Amino acid sequence: MSGRKDEELQGVTLLGNQGTQYLFEYSPDILESFENKHSNRDYFVKFNCPEFTSLCPKTGQPDFAAIYISYIPDRLMVESKSLKLYLFSFRNHGDFHEDCMNIIMNDLIKLMDPRYIEVWGKFTPRGGISIDPYTNYGKPGTKYEAMAEHRLMNHDLYPEKVDNR
Amino acid sequence: MSGRKDEELQGVTLLGNQGTQYLFEYSPDILESFENKHSNRDYFVKFNCPEFTSLCPKTGQPDFAAIYISYIPDRLMVESKSLKLYLFSFRNHGDFHEDCMNIIMNDLIKLMDPRYIEVWGKFTPRGGISIDPYTNYGKPGTKYEAMAEHRLMNHDLYPEKVDNR
Amino acid sequence: MSGRKDEELQGVTLLGNQGTQYLFEYSPDILESFENKHSNRDYFVKFNCPEFTSLCPKTGQPDFAAIYISYIPDRLMVESKSLKLYLFSFRNHGDFHEDCMNIIMNDLIKLMDPRYIEVWGKFTPRGGISIDPYTNYGKPGTKYEAMAEHRLMNHDLYPEKVDNR
Amino acid sequence: MSGRKDEELQGVTLLGNQGTQYLFEYSPDILESFENKHSNRDYFVKFNCPEFTSLCPKTGQPDFAAIYISYIPDRLMVESKSLKLYLFSFRNHGDFHEDCMNIIMNDLIKLMDPRYIEVWGKFTPRGGISIDPYTNYGKPGTKYEAMAEHRLMNHDLYPEKVDNR
Amino acid sequence: MSGRKDEELQGVTLLGNQGTQYLFEYSPDILESFENKHSNRDYFVKFNCPEFTSLCPKTGQPDFAAIYISYIPDRLMVESKSLKLYLFSFRNHGDFHEDCMNIIMNDLIKLMDPRYIEVWGKFTPRGGISIDPYTNYGKPGTKYEAMAEHRLMNHDLYPEKVDNR
Amino acid sequence: MSGRKDEELQGVTLLGNQGTQYLFEYSPDILESFENKHSNRDYFVKFNCPEFTSLCPKTGQPDFAAIYISYIPDRLMVESKSLKLYLFSFRNHGDFHEDCMNIIMNDLIKLMDPRYIEVWGKFTPRGGISIDPYTNYGKPGTKYEAMAEHRLMNHDLYPEKVDNR
Amino acid sequence: MSGRKDEELQGVTLLGNQGTQYLFEYSPDILESFENKHSNRDYFVKFNCPEFTSLCPKTGQPDFAAIYISYIPDRLMVESKSLKLYLFSFRNHGDFHEDCMNIIMNDLIKLMDPRYIEVWGKFTPRGGISIDPYTNYGKPGTKYEAMAEHRLMNHDLYPEKVDNR
Amino acid sequence: MSGRKDEELQGVTLLGNQGTQYLFEYSPDILESFENKHSNRDYFVKFNCPEFTSLCPKTGQPDFAAIYISYIPDRLMVESKSLKLYLFSFRNHGDFHEDCMNIIMNDLIKLMDPRYIEVWGKFTPRGGISIDPYTNYGKPGTKYEAMAEHRLMNHDLYPEKVDNR
Amino acid sequence: MSGRKDEELQGVTLLGNQGTQYLFEYSPDILESFENKHSNRDYFVKFNCPEFTSLCPKTGQPDFAAIYISYIPDRLMVESKSLKLYLFSFRNHGDFHEDCMNIIMNDLIKLMDPRYIEVWGKFTPRGGISIDPYTNYGKPGTKYEAMAEHRLMNHDLYPEKVDNR
Amino acid sequence: MSGRKDEELQGVTLLGNQGTQYLFEYSPDILESFENKHSNRDYFVKFNCPEFTSLCPKTGQPDFAAIYISYIPDRLMVESKSLKLYLFSFRNHGDFHEDCMNIIMNDLIKLMDPRYIEVWGKFTPRGGISIDPYTNYGKPGTKYEAMAEHRLMNHDLYPEKVDNR
Ligand SMILES: [Ca+2]
Ligand SMILES: [Ca+2]
Ligand SMILES: [Ca+2]
Ligand SMILES: [Ca+2]
Ligand SMILES: [Ca+2]
Ligand SMILES: [Ca+2]
Ligand SMILES: [Ca+2]
Ligand SMILES: [Ca+2]
Ligand SMILES: [Ca+2]
Ligand SMILES: [Ca+2]
Ligand SMILES: [Ca+2]
Ligand SMILES: [Ca+2]
Ligand SMILES: [Ca+2]
Ligand SMILES: [Ca+2]
Ligand SMILES: [Ca+2]
Ligand SMILES: [Ca+2]
């Protein structure tokens, strides 16, 4: 019935697992990967993560964001349930919006060594202003490094309408 | 009354056919093609397929997606009713989202040998995260190969707003 | 400069206060009220609270919701910053969606003794289904009790479109 | 940490359970209920279920719908994971749209004996026309019977815009 | 596999039928009905028909509309494919918008003898103005007659925004 | 080909007429009516008129509005092209928004003697504020008079979101 | 050219006036009225005012809101430019949201003595929560008093979606 | 009053003409052109044509589409009323979606010999899938030929959301 | 209080001026300019003008459009109130849509001698088709000429959805 | 708990501070910066500021805008609460829209010396026209200067729909 054989799912320990533990302090080790079966080809995988929450590092007040993660895999791919648990682990962790986005990208680079990756966070406002950090990366010394520069240069030419409602 | 003569519709056996059989296991052989009458020109055909469903390869749980398929035909074109039946054939088939999109593209390349093709799946969330794979292809050794690289480099600079509702 | 004199703001200790403490376990005592200056008149106050999060009581997984609270004040009104802190206090608390909404309404009734109140939660989906509890209350033995019944009978005749994206 | 004690979750066997079985033939027995802790009060619970699929009883072609279920519980409530599995069980079952909605409501009445319930299905088009059945029920001989009649009389005075795209 | 037995589908000759004839002159006889299996209960069925076209009776110019048909069945229900063919039969027929809507309702009343029915057409503009007729009916001498009056009195209190684009 | 016979279109002189004259000063005489073929029944006809423009009576500055006109015909109906020309005739006419809506309704009452009618204008802002007058009428001494009162009492409980952009 | 004669515009001193003074402290005296020419009839006038700003009475921080004002005039109507200047006069004034809405309604009642009036403010969030007060009034001892109660009872059954973005 | 003199409108015979004939079989000869007064400059003209309908060449079933036509004129421009009549002429004509779009573009090239042109059709679904063909053209041997290639390479990187409703 | 000194506002005679004259015949002389204080830098100014109306040159029927004007100033900038009066002056002027857009751009080039400018009109439909002309210009012999060509080549790759409602 | 250590927050004096002073005259000195911890990488930070208000330099009338600020930090970043206070300081300051946007960008360049920055203001209409200035900057003599030119050249090819409502 399934296109993935059991041995192709070996690194995947969390998906469908009962009794999942939810960690609410920053836990990069929870991330799991599995093999890319189409590494002969460049293609994108995007994760839409509208349920991200962390704390303000100075006041401790909760922050909320939608995070969009897109990458071109090389040999490895991030398993989505482990990504969910990893993002949950920011729940009681304090950091600036800009730092969170860079940390998430760094951890995913370390896990997967992707050809290309980008992370975009869109936070809810505090005091009438909201902050949206965007960071990206292409494997140094490859064409993906130029791709990262190209995508940054063309980033968000059309800011979405925000009216705080 | 019709711009297509009967002999130009010869390969088309499913369209308007009574008693269609619906297969719910992966069936690439069901795909049918017909002749491109405008092969002197590059043009795009897009299929919007918001009724795609398959199963999770590990848990067996149903997944749902909208799939967008765009291609520039060469000599052959895929007939839309056979494409419908082909996509239905994933109904009780288990595979990762990323694998499904690559398999669909591979099958359509094999059927039509198109100049260019791309497949984008937008799935509903599990555990608060949704996954959107995008893969594309240009005929190797032609300008369409560069086209594929160009479109991948500029892919999805504006992720749609997702809030899981 | 201000339409409210200092003595009219006496019960309000959290608004504009430095060093706010954020409690992440259910803390109904944090709620504060102030005097209604227009109790000669029935009028509505609505709070839009799209940043609510709690935990599943069985699995411990985080849940997310937008909560809409509407009430007709009698003698007292709930102060909005204390309401914010109260809602934050569900952050690491586990309960079913339906229970959370009833608890919030019970606590606000206890705090303010309002003429009328209603609480509507709209949660994000788990496994493709989302849950939206709605509960309301009118002071027993008054016309507001009939009002509650009337509003329940006419509740949500037009469910919003939900597609999990 | 949790507002529901273990003994209050006794009837709930599927939530958080590993190795869930997915049945794709109509299986009303899979539905589970748990106790309503707020039966002193009338309140609504709504399920948004945009991932419903069944088969045409005559042609066998897959159908797709978003289903909206709203009810006022009496002593029992339907557990949401069991509802998900129940709706999945229509996957390879054939029936007319109108019949499916009435069957779902009948099964939930049998399970919970609710004070009031309504079920609204919004299907995708076939041949340019889409069908949206709506059915409701109030416990006979109670005020909820009049409520059902009232809500039917005021049902859908504002049909949503549909353009098949 | 199917909830409808063959004998319950006897009146249905067009659904899934090969070689359907498309008539483009007004043909009320094409309408087919089938038995309502839930006549013990009042419930609504709505058809969304955004692909309606007819001709102006004076100039012959094509008109376009979305038509929304809602009814409470009594003993019979209209089969959707026959409804599609019936609506197609206005394609080369000329009549005023207001007349078309009343004719469609009259024909469906004659076919099904429903408890209640309403028909709402929303046309595209000519010369900057668009016309939306709405007509309804309840079986005379029953409570559905009062229902029709009630729904007319509350019809369209919120006209949708129209800007001709 | 047409459902309206020529003699049923006798009062209609402007529809399809070449060489239409456009008057830009208030011209109520231009309105034309035709016979209602369904006067046995109450039904609504709505005109969406988003291209209305007049002048400010004090400054002479142009004003712009979308006007929504709904009525239940008695014996006569207003012909839509003559309505278009009538609305054009306000183009160089100066009057307050509130006066324009009442004048339009008065003229249509005089023309058609309808059972019920309402006129809603939604103007563009001047100085950051926009004005939306709504007026209605039911034939005195009939149930339509009560209908007018009922609809006024329930008018616009949900003001549309306006942000001047 | 104008439907209003000069003598009918006598009370109107600000409209079209050069050298308008903008007051940024609460100035109810700036409001001007003019005569209602259609007082034989009940009708609504709505003002959409999305550019309202005031200050927090405790912290001095600016607040922003869209205000919707609807009324049925009796003998007098509020002139829109004077209303604009009046609303501007809250710019450097501090008051709670709920108080502002009641004050605005009180001032307009004093100016116009309307049959019915309602004021709805929709503010931007502070700390993730936004507040929307709604107040209304019907002339005591008239049917408009019952109208006010009716509209309050049916107020905002469909809270708009708010996500703070 | 007019910026176009009569002699500049000589080729325009249909605009404002009484007694227009509507042809419902493919009639390319009906197209009319007029002179481009700004041929010193490259500029775009777009036609939005959401009321296109034709027939399926195999089953005869009606198809519906919105067509978007954009071009840079050279010496001639297509007159819009003749374009309307031309598009009407597909009403009872049968052809595949992809063929229709190419035929329309070919006919407009023949009529106007434009510097650049593109035609995009967006059809309603059949069997859950909709088809959107896009074709373009730049005058061979000019920079517009490269423009066509550039626009094709960048075509539709952001497919609109389609959900068949 | 103001960042602009009086002498920097010398050319501005209409802004805030009482007794403005509204001309409704094409009047390019009404346009006024003022000095660009940031000419050391390239930057864009866009005017959104959704209240444009003119007449059809052949039939005299009113046309309506939203016009979007964007430019990079050189030494001079167009004052917005004079632009408003200029656009008003097309009110009773007859011209084709395509001609109007080119004339407006020509007049603004003559007034300001900008580095770059573009004008986009989006008209309401007549007979089911709407027309959107777009024209642009870069100062000849400068890099802005190439910019104009670049923007034209990439113009409107994503036509907005138009359905005439 | 926090990813930022206290010494990394040293320049941040306003965030979480009680007794904030709100200045309503232009005060660039209020801006504060903190250190960029990811200066090894180019990334974007965007501020959505929909609550901007200033005064017209000639008439003194309040203006309202949403401002979007995006930048690539070099060594320093602007702290968001100080940015809020800075934007508040335009509240009683008079300047043209185009001047305000350039001044804001100049002040942020002076504060942070960023690699790249852009500021886009979208104002509400006066007299039916709204103005949206956009200005940007790349550090002279670096690749970011070319980036600024590239982004200006591709700026706003898709003006958002504006209808003043
Ligand atoms: Ca906030
Ligand atoms: Ca928003
Ligand atoms: Ca989920
Ligand atoms: Ca959504
Ligand atoms: Ca959604
Ligand atoms: Ca269909
Ligand atoms: Ca749609
Ligand atoms: Ca529209
Ligand atoms: Ca708006
Ligand atoms: Ca929002
Ligand atoms: Ca279909
Ligand atoms: Ca859709
Ligand atoms: Ca039209
Ligand atoms: Ca539209
Ligand atoms: Ca204005
Ligand atoms: Ca708008």
Side-chain angles (χ1 to χ4, degrees), chain E residues 16-81:
Chain E
N17 189 14
Q18 193 179 25
T20 304
Q21 292 289 91
Y22 296 100
L23 304 172
F24 295 155
E25 263 307 324
Y26 172 62
S27 311
D29 294 345
I30 210 168
L31 287 165
E32 289 188 349
S33 64
F34 64 98
E35 190 191 358
N36 176 13
K37 289 173 72 173
H38 312 275
S39 62
N40 61 308
R41 178 182 287 152
D42 277 345
Y43 66 101
F44 263 107
V45 179
K46 179 171 60 166
F47 296 103
N48 305 291
C49 316
E51 303 180 0
F52 181 81
T53 181
S54 60
L55 301 180
C56 175
K58 185 128 186 188
T59 65
Q61 184 172 206
D63 288 322
F64 291 83
I67 298 183
Y68 301 88
I69 301 169
S70 271
Y71 72 103
I72 300 176
D74 194 355
R75 208 181 50 76
L76 293 176
M77 308 181 70
V78 59
E79 194 277 324
S80 68
K81 188 169 175 189

Side-chain angles (χ1 to χ4, degrees), chain I residues 1 3-4 41 150-151 157, chain J residues 94 99 106 134 154-155 158:
Chain I
M1 184 183 96
R4 282 264 171 180
R41 177 183 288 152
H150 173 82
R151 288 175 73 87
L157 286 160
Chain J
D99 292 339
N106 288 341
Y134 168 88
N154 289 285
H155 171 68
Y158 295 89

Side-chain angles (χ1 to χ4, degrees), chain A residues 162-163, chain J residues 49-52 64-68 101 120-124:
Chain A
V162 173
D163 63 5
Chain J
C49 314
E51 303 180 1
F52 181 81
F64 291 84
I67 299 183
Y68 302 88
M101 295 307 101
W120 194 346
K122 303 188 176 188
F123 285 78
T124 52

Side-chain angles (χ1 to χ4, degrees), chain C residues 156-162, chain D residues 46 48 68 118 120 122, chain G residues 158:
Chain C
D156 197 31
L157 286 160
Y158 296 89
E160 61 180 301
K161 184 177 186 176
V162 173
Chain D
K46 179 170 62 168
N48 305 292
Y68 302 89
E118 67 189 22
W120 195 346
K122 303 188 175 186
Chain G
Y158 296 88

Side-chain angles (χ1 to χ4, degrees), chain G residues 51-68:
Chain G
E51 302 181 1
F52 181 81
T53 180
S54 61
L55 300 180
C56 174
K58 186 129 188 186
T59 65
Q61 184 172 207
D63 287 323
F64 291 84
I67 298 183
Y68 302 88

